[in-house]
Amino acid sequence: MTLERTTPARALHGGPDEAGAARHDFSTNGNATGPCPAVLAALRAADATHYPDPAYTSLRRTLGAFHGVAAERVVVAASASEFIHRISAAWAQGGGLEVCLPLHSYGDYERAASSWGLQVLRTAEPRRRPALRWCCEPSSPLGQADLVPHVDADGACVLDMAYEPLRLEGRPSFDAAQRNRVWQVWTPNKAMGLTGVRAAYAIAPENDKAAALNQRIEQLSPSWPIGTHGVALLEAWAGDEAQAWLAQSLNTLRAWKAQQRTLCESLGWDCLPSDANFFCARTDVPYPKLAAELRAEGIKLRDCASFGLPGHVRLGVLPPQSQQALKEAWTRAAKAAEH
């Protein structure tokens, strides 16, 4: 099945809005147990009076060693969204014509493709023409395996790893050998509970086919895509202290997630399965009807209509006190909507 969808003119995201950050913000998926103390310490110690090394030599070595790949395969990016736009531009400049997306996926994949005139297809079928294929696991918004198959087909395949460090259930579908044949995009600021620090990186495939695309991606990079604080976050993320903290935080998130699902089900919501630190639910009352009143009480959810899931919301896992605030505010707002 192939579907085409109209790209929104304005990027839709969760998180702060014109009213600032919501007190109980379920609309984003950062690690709610954070921020990571080791990364905070690194940020405070960072020397922002100097530019970072424009080649990011030490950082690439650190990240390469962390993943067990050559440093030359590491591509530093200002954010995952910046890399999504850059690889889409590089694909178009190399003569690419199509981008294949999962049925439900992060909006910047489509926005970036459309901005370069690429045909956007949501399909699980093999194509006759080479395509830039996007995969994400655990995916957003569903937190499940959302993979476009044919990793070895002509073209390029990108595996978005944004939520792999925040996996609470299940196992990855890609083994190490398969990951080596695709582009991997890593966004550690989510796992470290510091989404306001914009820094990410990609790992290029270990094959000759990727060389020309990688060269164009590097040529499209601005000077210093990340600053000193971004470097500090990425270096600390790869350290033992941050990884130990992350592993412990997942235990807390699992307990919170179980409580949050139970609470949502008590409201009459249909909660969908998810392997990550967030999940989608069909609500008993359409969220847009209650959004303004909930926002006034410090509650914000992520409406999933832009993901192709009308009638659903996505909820990042938050602590029990935020969950209780959601239940009380939703109950009041739903009752008021009945009158």
Side-chain angles (χ1 to χ4, degrees), residues 237-323:
W237 137 263
D240 291 343
E241 190 175 349
Q243 290 299 309
W245 174 86
L246 174 60
Q248 183 60 43
S249 76
L250 299 185
N251 295 326
T252 301
L253 290 171
R254 288 186 188 97
W256 289 355
K257 181 179 178 181
Q259 295 174 33
Q260 188 163 307
R261 286 182 64 94
T262 299
L263 181 145
C264 290
E265 289 167 353
S266 75
L267 292 171
W269 299 3
D270 180 19
C271 298
L272 305 184
S274 166
D275 292 338
N277 66 318
F278 55 89
F279 57 89
C280 289
R282 178 179 285 279
T283 57
D284 59 332
V285 179
Y287 173 63
K289 290 182 62 175
L290 310 182
E293 187 170 347
L294 292 170
R295 187 66 181 86
E297 294 203 43
I299 305 288
K300 187 174 183 182
L301 311 179
R302 178 69 159 91
D303 182 24
C304 287
S306 64
F307 290 117
L309 287 169
H312 292 76
V313 294
R314 190 193 66 195
L315 303 96
V317 171
L318 292 189
Q321 58 268 32
S322 293
Q323 299 175 23

Side-chain angles (χ1 to χ4, degrees), residues 60-121:
R60 290 177 193 254
R61 287 174 182 162
T62 297
L63 295 173
F66 179 62
H67 290 282
V69 303
E72 292 74 23
R73 291 174 58 189
V74 176
V75 179
V76 176
S79 67
S81 292
E82 186 271 323
F83 181 80
I84 290 166
H85 281 262
R86 200 182 339 156
I87 194 173
S88 300
W91 181 251
Q93 288 183 352
L97 299 173
E98 294 182 351
V99 172
C100 291
L101 307 182
L103 182 58
H104 307 293
S105 61
Y106 180 47
D108 275 22
Y109 303 156
E110 183 174 357
R111 285 176 54 79
S114 297
S115 70
W116 284 95
L118 297 167
Q119 184 179 9
V120 176
L121 304 170

Side-chain angles (χ1 to χ4, degrees), residues 102-275:
L103 182 58
H104 307 293
S105 61
Y106 180 47
D108 275 22
Y109 303 156
E110 183 174 357
R111 285 176 54 79
S114 297
S115 70
W116 284 95
L118 297 167
Q119 184 179 9
V120 176
L121 304 170
R122 295 182 183 271
T123 177
E125 302 170 0
R127 303 293 297 175
R128 293 181 181 178
R129 295 189 296 194
L132 178 63
R133 302 172 183 275
W134 285 96
C135 311
C136 186
E137 187 184 25
S139 66
S140 178
L142 293 172
Q144 302 171 353
D146 207 347
L147 308 174
V148 176
H150 316 293
V151 167
D152 293 316
D154 287 342
C157 182
V158 188
L159 178 60
D160 189 338
M161 309 288 289
Y163 298 110
E164 184 58 40
L166 289 166
R167 175 185 290 278
L168 304 181
E169 304 167 51
R171 299 179 63 181
S173 299
F174 281 48
D175 60 26
Q178 289 173 313
R179 285 189 187 182
N180 262 335
R181 298 199 297 271
V182 303
W183 290 85
Q184 303 170 47
V185 183
W186 292 86
T187 321
N189 57 359
K190 295 179 177 63
M192 298 291 96
L194 286 157
T195 54
V197 182
R198 309 302 291 158
Y201 60 96
I203 300 175
E206 191 178 33
N207 59 53
D208 294 335
K209 291 193 305 180
L213 181 58
N214 192 12
Q215 184 178 22
R216 290 194 297 273
I217 289 170
E218 291 287 7
Q219 289 172 342
L220 285 166
S221 175
S223 299
W224 298 289
I226 61 173
T228 303
H229 294 94
V231 172
L233 180 144
L234 295 180
E235 287 182 337
W237 137 263
D240 291 343
E241 190 175 349
Q243 290 299 309
W245 174 86
L246 174 60
Q248 183 60 43
S249 76
L250 299 185
N251 295 326
T252 301
L253 290 171
R254 288 186 188 97
W256 289 355
K257 181 179 178 181
Q259 295 174 33
Q260 188 163 307
R261 286 182 64 94
T262 299
L263 181 145
C264 290
E265 289 167 353
S266 75
L267 292 171
W269 299 3
D270 180 19
C271 298
L272 305 184
S274 166
D275 292 338

